[in-house]
Amino acid sequence: MQPPTPRILETKLNPPAFVATQVPRTAIGEEVAAATVKLVLVRAPAGFGKTTAMAQIRERREAHGVATAWLTLDRADNDVSRFLNCLAEAVQRLGVEEPRANAPFDAVAALAAHDSPFTLFLDDFERVQEPAVLGVVREIVEHLPRGGQIVIGSRSLPDLGLGRLRARGQLLEIDTDRLRFSLEETSAFFGLRQLHAARVLPADMVSQLHRKTEGWVAAIWLASMALERHGTGTGFIERFSGSDRAVADYLAEDVLAHQPKDIRDFLLRTSILRQLDASVCQALCPRVDCAAILERLAASNLFLTPVSGDGDAWRYHSLFADFLRAQLARELPGELERLHLAASGWYESHDRPVPAIDHAIEGGDHPYALTLLDSYATQFLEQGRMRMLARWFSAIPEHQLREHPFLQPISLWATCFTHGPWDAMRQLEKSGCLDSPIAEVRASAHTLVPLLLAMQDRHDEAYEAGRQSLARLPTGLAFADSVLLNAMAHILAVRGDPHEARRLLDAARREQGNSTFNRMYTESLAGLFDLQEGRLRQATARLRMAVDSTHAVSYNHSHGNAWAGVLYAGAVYETNQLVQAEHLLNVYLPLARDVGLPDHMILSHVMRSRLAFHAGDIDAAFQALTELEYLGHHGQLPRVVAGAKLERSRMLLLQGNGPASHDELLRADDPALWDSERRQRLPAHDLDYLALAKARWEIAFGDARTALGALDAELHAALASARNRRALKLRVLRALALQRIGDAAAAIEQIGEVLRTASQEGFMRLILDEGPTVSTLLHRYAAAMHEGTRGSSDPILADHLQRLLQAAGPASSGEAEAPAADAMKEPLTRKEIRVLQLLAEGYSNNAMAEKLFVSDSTVRTHLRNINMKLDAKSRTQAVAIARKLGVIR
């Protein structure tokens, strides 16, 4: 797909130009200017002047020296990579430091770090429904710096966590009632209109019209045009009543009916276009001078809204455009296909196949759309544009798709990587491709089978099907052959044959040609293998390459698809880059959920839960696991359900709730499932599996010596199979077990061995995720190094330890002596005990404030009182003392 032309992109980056009849929305502007909120939501149906109000807010901001950026969204922005590219273009207009040549530019990070006041405007937001795009916007809002603000215009309520923003006082809502014209604004509007008209509307008629339209801006605007024809003495105002859509249609029809025929035809025929310029309009109306008509319409200020500063591109008012399209379908139904075909042909001739195919499908000309897809689908497939392909194929009748047999496998690939293997398998079985008389179609379908089976967790069946398909290579189909080689590499790795898996990856590299999608697939798997074998730095580099490989522009490392993205997020998380990991998850977790890959669902949701837990948002942490468990039940994937239970057990353990943690382990204990896991190398269970979780619980609440024996057996098995990352994790737990049984010297020796290995590759969360007890051990090791008993001249180790200590925070004071109950200076209040309970569970100050319906300052006051009464020096010590006193569990 060719990128949009600079002029068209420019129209997305500028608000509509000012027109003479625009009424200043002073009250709205003042309300927004006075609000110190992160998000301003301007929400109302079509015709209430959202965009105009936003444009005026922008002018006011700029007049006060605040930098602004504008982005008008459209349906194509549901593509994450396109949205991020457009966002990057907009953000660079705020004056942020431009990226160096060929360097990636992370627009989200740039906004979060921008230290000057700015306002970002996102208009027509209702056109975005893609969860990954909404996740990016949620993250932008969440991490706005002081002085940053987002203004969103939308017809519908966006899924941006508005409830939380509202509770925090960080949301200002400008709704339908606020956007309605007041009587004064209605009078001002007619005053501006009358500057260009001979008739003056009496004040009582203005009042009557205002009352009947209820201040609906579009109805007032359309009525003003009708009045110019009817006049004030015809009883026009008295005859109509109400302010619903039927009134708007009536007024629009009245205005349209009295236009000259050439103007009327032009309006109807060009209504199918999102944006208008003379060239594309000429393709739809070849018998008229489109440039002259556009100039006439622009001069009249009746129908067009300019969308570019040079006056060469416009759009219709959204409400009027809706009416025009409906009127076109009623009056000229036979013309729809021809008009869309003309638009499609124009876009094709200008090397813009995406809108060309869109118009062909919208016009119902599926044969032409399929003809275009015959030319471009393979290119889009190799680029990894799976969601776009899936959207197109889902709109084309199945019987017509069958007439283009070479497109059927492409449709199957698109379904597989967007809607998951179960939908793709059903489609494959119905398609007849497995028995197609065309050798290429049949071969492509057979290469898909092992991949679909592996994605359904049926690895043994996938292996058998894949062996048969490998015997038929090469098929001459580079894309299909490369996918098969990649899929079989993954299947063999899961079955414990990494050597043969790497050989197949090398073969896949030779076959992939120009397929950026397969390059992503290959490098993702290679990165996964590196990660399991303990080579974190190499894995991170490979996975970053994989994420960026599916698009030519490498902004944000947020392109690609869920396959690479979730793995890359995990590598970034491991190095303790939590903000970047959260950014990646906002993009990729929704995609992983849609595709339904078991390992990716587990990895992404567990990571999301841990990020929330680390931030002190305990409710969100449990919610992520509840969603994961639901997805497992819904997809009949026991491994996904068990993954949620294991992580819930770990979280409860960190909260000090031993019985509940143990109950979750019992619920996760499916012998058949974990016996199967032991025979495989499943990515989601490299570090999180039942035997390890049981050992962790024994260390915290049970018999640490028993845990040591289990860990030694697990460690031996991990080293024998070169699972070096798992071995590192097991050594961390082994050090904690030694600390628990009182063998401090052995514990320090063991954690030192871990740190020497971890420092070489940058492993951090693998250690830190074990919670406060590992923090204590790290501080003891640091003290031993300082005293010289564990001296080291290794600067890499010293630096890595320092970063771990900084991330872990102060050493736990849990072993401090607790005062006697009667030694407390005064008893704790009920509210203070509740604060202590939430503190022990890991809630942050902000989260506690939300949960208790109090301010942050009130929470801080409670914490100061708690420390004073318990004679505690820190939050962790306060919790430890309260537990010893029996005040909390």
Side-chain angles (χ1 to χ4, degrees):
M1 170 183 161
Q2 295 295 322
T5 64
R7 181 181 60 74
I8 294 295
L9 182 58
E10 192 73 15
T11 66
K12 291 174 64 65
L13 299 173
N14 288 302
F18 177 81
V19 294
T21 56
Q22 195 176 100
V23 175
R25 310 305 307 271
T26 307
I28 291 175
E30 289 176 351
E31 184 177 1
V32 174
T36 55
V37 297
K38 286 186 173 184
L39 176 63
V40 177
L41 176 62
V42 185
R43 180 172 68 95
F48 277 89
K50 296 183 295 295
T51 300
T52 299
M54 290 172 63
Q56 292 184 9
I57 294 169
R58 179 176 182 264
E59 288 179 6
R60 184 182 181 118
R61 280 279 193 270
E62 291 194 328
H64 287 82
V66 177
T68 69
W70 184 283
L71 182 59
T72 300
L73 301 172
D74 54 51
R75 187 173 63 180
D77 291 315
N78 284 289
D79 182 322
V80 179
S81 58
R82 173 187 161 93
F83 172 77
L84 288 168
N85 288 342
C86 293
L87 180 67
E89 290 282 347
V91 167
Q92 290 183 54
R93 298 186 174 209
L94 293 172
V96 301
E97 184 177 348
E98 294 189 7
R100 298 183 299 277
N102 300 320
F105 177 65
D106 188 334
V108 178
L111 286 174
H114 197 46
D115 55 5
S116 300
F118 69 87
T119 304
L120 172 65
F121 293 82
L122 301 176
D123 198 16
D124 291 346
F125 200 81
E126 73 280 352
R127 300 191 181 177
V128 173
Q129 287 96 34
E130 171 58 50
V133 176
L134 293 172
V136 172
V137 178
R138 275 197 298 272
E139 184 187 355
I140 292 172
V141 174
E142 186 68 25
H143 294 100
L144 276 176
R146 186 182 299 274
Q149 191 175 73
I150 308 292
V151 179
I152 287 177
S154 177
R155 294 189 190 184
S156 58
L157 199 65
D159 182 15
L160 296 176
L162 298 179
R164 175 171 296 183
L165 292 171
R166 193 179 292 115
R168 292 176 178 175
Q170 296 173 342
L171 173 67
L172 173 63
E173 296 176 87
I174 306 295
D175 59 10
T176 302
D177 290 338
R178 293 291 294 109
L179 287 166
R180 293 182 191 277
F181 270 3
S182 65
L183 177 58
E184 292 74 19
E185 288 171 327
T186 303
S187 298
F189 173 79
F190 278 100
L192 292 169
R193 297 281 304 174
Q194 288 156 14
L195 293 175
H196 306 279
R199 298 184 182 89
V200 175
L201 193 64
D204 61 328
M205 288 190 175
V206 172
S207 178
Q208 189 177 9
L209 184 62
H210 172 76
R211 187 175 66 255
K212 290 193 171 188
T213 59
E214 299 180 9
W216 187 12
V217 179
I220 294 170
W221 169 62
L222 289 165
S224 71
M225 289 189 282
L227 278 167
E228 289 179 9
R229 188 183 68 82
H230 289 285
T232 58
T234 61
F236 169 78
I237 294 177
E238 291 80 0
R239 286 196 305 271
F240 94 70
S241 62
S243 59
D244 59 14
R245 184 56 179 260
V247 173
D249 284 353
Y250 161 69
L251 293 171
E253 185 173 1
D254 183 82
V255 171
L256 183 64
H258 295 90
Q259 298 303 313
K261 185 178 186 307
D262 59 338
I263 296 291
R264 191 177 190 283
D265 286 350
F266 177 89
L267 293 171
L268 290 175
R269 293 172 190 276
T270 57
S271 64
I272 67 167
L273 299 172
R274 304 289 185 271
Q275 291 182 345
L276 300 87
D277 63 30
S279 178
V280 67
C281 290
Q282 202 68 55
L284 274 60
C285 307
R287 295 185 178 84
V288 297
D289 186 344
C290 292
I293 289 178
L294 285 169
E295 288 179 9
R296 285 167 58 190
L297 293 174
S300 69
N301 291 321
L302 294 183
F303 304 105
L304 299 181
T305 299
V307 291
S308 67
D310 56 16
D312 286 340
W314 298 267
R315 65 174 174 85
Y316 292 121
H317 186 286
S318 57
L319 184 145
F320 192 59
D322 290 346
F323 167 79
L324 288 175
R325 284 192 286 270
Q327 194 72 10
L328 173 65
R330 285 194 296 269
E331 292 188 20
L332 302 170
E335 283 287 282
L336 268 174
E337 183 173 338
R338 189 197 69 77
L339 291 168
H340 278 292
L341 186 63
S344 181
W346 186 87
Y347 283 115
E348 183 192 10
S349 68
H350 285 74
D351 295 322
R352 297 182 61 190
V354 173
I357 295 169
D358 274 334
H359 272 289
I361 290 175
E362 286 178 35
D365 194 348
H366 299 125
Y368 183 50
L370 288 164
T371 299
L372 290 170
L373 282 165
D374 278 331
S375 301
Y376 292 103
T378 299
Q379 171 189 336
F380 291 137
L381 181 69
E382 291 180 345
Q383 290 173 353
R385 304 300 298 273
M386 302 297 180
R387 301 184 81 79
M388 183 177 69
L389 286 167
R391 173 169 62 85
W392 285 335
F393 284 123
S394 67
I396 295 172
E398 188 178 320
H399 71 276
Q400 292 187 357
L401 180 59
R402 286 178 180 270
E403 296 173 6
H404 293 256
F406 291 100
L407 290 178
Q408 284 187 281
I410 297 177
S411 174
L412 288 165
W413 294 116
T415 300
C416 171
F417 289 109
T418 55
H419 298 296
W422 290 269
D423 284 0
M425 186 68 85
R426 285 190 290 270
Q427 183 181 335
L428 174 62
E429 291 168 352
K430 287 176 58 180
S431 69
C433 290
L434 291 169
D435 302 312
S436 172
I438 302 173
E440 292 91 336
V441 173
R442 191 170 62 251
S444 186
H446 278 282
T447 61
L448 183 59
V449 171
L451 173 64
L452 295 179
L453 291 170
M455 291 171 72
Q456 294 176 17
D457 248 7
R458 297 158 63 184
H459 291 95
D460 291 339
E461 295 172 69
Y463 175 69
E464 293 302 325
R467 286 180 57 199
Q468 298 174 32
S469 294
L470 282 176
R472 292 189 285 267
L473 293 187
T475 65
L477 304 169
F479 182 88
D481 288 359
S482 186
V483 169
L484 174 63
L485 289 165
N486 280 316
M488 285 302 292
H490 175 62
I491 292 164
L492 284 164
V494 167
R495 289 171 59 88
D497 191 349
H499 177 75
E500 181 64 11
R502 289 191 179 278
R503 189 188 70 79
L504 290 181
L505 283 189
D506 289 338
R509 289 189 179 95
R510 292 192 294 271
E511 286 289 333
Q512 64 196 14
N514 295 322
S515 173
T516 51
F517 176 82
N518 272 314
R519 190 176 310 132
M520 175 280 300
Y521 197 175
T522 302
E523 296 309 321
S524 294
L525 290 172
L528 177 60
F529 299 165
D530 285 335
L531 193 61
Q532 291 176 336
E533 293 170 15
R535 295 186 292 273
L536 176 61
R537 298 190 191 281
Q538 185 167 311
T540 304
R542 285 191 190 277
L543 292 168
R544 182 170 60 243
M545 183 191 312
V547 166
D548 286 342
S549 68
T550 49
H551 285 267
V553 182
S554 298
Y555 294 150
N556 306 291
H557 303 304
S558 298
H559 304 308
N561 63 21
W563 197 294
V566 169
L567 297 177
Y568 180 51
V572 169
Y573 173 82
E574 179 55 53
T575 59
N576 206 39
Q577 299 177 68
L578 303 187
V579 173
Q580 175 70 350
E582 185 178 8
H583 166 52
L584 290 162
L585 272 189
N586 281 335
V587 175
Y588 292 114
L589 185 147
L591 303 179
R593 184 176 54 217
D594 288 349
V595 176
L597 297 168
D599 287 291
H600 288 64
M601 284 196 293
I602 296 170
L603 290 168
S604 59
H605 283 79
V606 166
M607 206 185 320
R608 166 61 56 82
S609 177
R610 292 186 181 185
L611 286 167
F613 189 88
H614 180 270
D617 194 343
I618 309 303
D619 294 339
F622 278 107
Q623 182 180 343
L625 299 180
T626 300
E627 179 180 313
L628 178 62
E629 188 170 359
Y630 166 79
L631 291 171
H633 286 301
H634 182 72
Q636 297 183 325
L637 294 167
R639 186 159 67 89
V640 174
V641 175
K645 293 172 182 175
L646 280 188
E647 182 60 19
R648 193 178 292 118
S649 171
R650 191 192 74 89
M651 198 185 313
L652 289 165
L653 180 148
L654 291 178
Q655 292 180 320
N657 193 339
S661 174
H662 191 259
D663 286 346
E664 287 295 326
L665 283 182
L666 292 177
R667 292 176 62 217
D669 193 353
D670 180 339
L673 187 155
W674 295 112
D675 181 63
S676 175
E677 182 274 329
R678 290 190 71 84
R679 292 183 282 105
Q680 298 178 326
R681 298 178 61 149
L682 298 164
H685 304 301
D686 193 35
L687 301 183
D688 296 301
Y689 61 104
L690 186 64
L692 185 147
K694 285 182 174 180
R696 178 189 284 127
W697 191 91
E698 290 292 343
I699 293 168
F701 302 110
D703 185 349
R705 293 186 186 277
T706 299
L708 270 174
L711 288 170
D712 286 342
E714 291 293 323
L715 181 59
H716 177 77
L719 292 172
S721 57
R723 302 181 75 166
N724 298 324
R725 184 173 67 145
R726 173 179 282 194
L728 196 61
K729 182 71 165 181
L730 292 166
R731 287 191 171 109
V732 173
L733 291 177
R734 196 173 185 282
L736 294 177
L738 291 166
Q739 178 176 250
R740 173 74 191 284
I741 64 175
D743 193 344
I748 290 172
E749 182 66 36
Q750 181 73 88
I751 200 66
E753 185 180 341
V754 168
L755 293 172
R756 283 188 288 275
T757 302
S759 64
Q760 296 300 315
E761 291 292 336
F763 284 103
M764 290 187 68
R765 294 312 312 181
L766 177 147
I767 299 169
L768 294 170
D769 282 347
E770 293 307 317
T773 53
V774 84
S775 172
T776 301
L777 188 52
L778 290 171
H779 280 277
R780 286 177 171 173
Y781 180 81
M785 284 185 65
H786 181 71
E787 293 167 3
T789 59
R790 291 285 183 266
S792 172
S793 59
D794 185 348
I796 296 176
L797 172 59
D799 177 70
H800 191 68
L801 176 60
Q802 193 58 42
R803 287 189 289 119
L804 283 167
L805 291 171
Q806 185 176 0
S812 170
S813 303
E815 297 178 4
E817 286 297 322
D822 57 3
M824 280 193 293
K825 297 178 180 178
E826 56 182 292
L828 296 170
T829 67
R830 182 178 300 177
K831 185 60 69 73
E832 288 165 350
I833 292 172
R834 179 61 177 146
V835 169
L836 263 173
Q837 288 172 334
L838 293 175
L839 190 63
E841 291 171 15
Y843 283 86
S844 67
N845 285 11
N846 284 343
M848 282 192 282
E850 284 185 25
K851 206 164 185 68
L852 298 171
F853 301 102
V854 297
S855 66
D856 285 0
S857 62
T858 300
V859 170
R860 289 195 295 271
T861 299
H862 284 315
L863 291 172
R864 283 196 298 271
N865 291 340
I866 289 167
N867 284 342
M868 181 190 70
K869 291 178 180 181
L870 296 179
D871 196 23
K873 301 297 188 294
S874 68
R875 298 157 68 101
T876 53
Q877 189 180 36
V879 170
I881 292 171
R883 279 185 172 146
K884 288 192 175 184
L885 290 172
V887 175
I888 60 174
R889 282 190 310 183

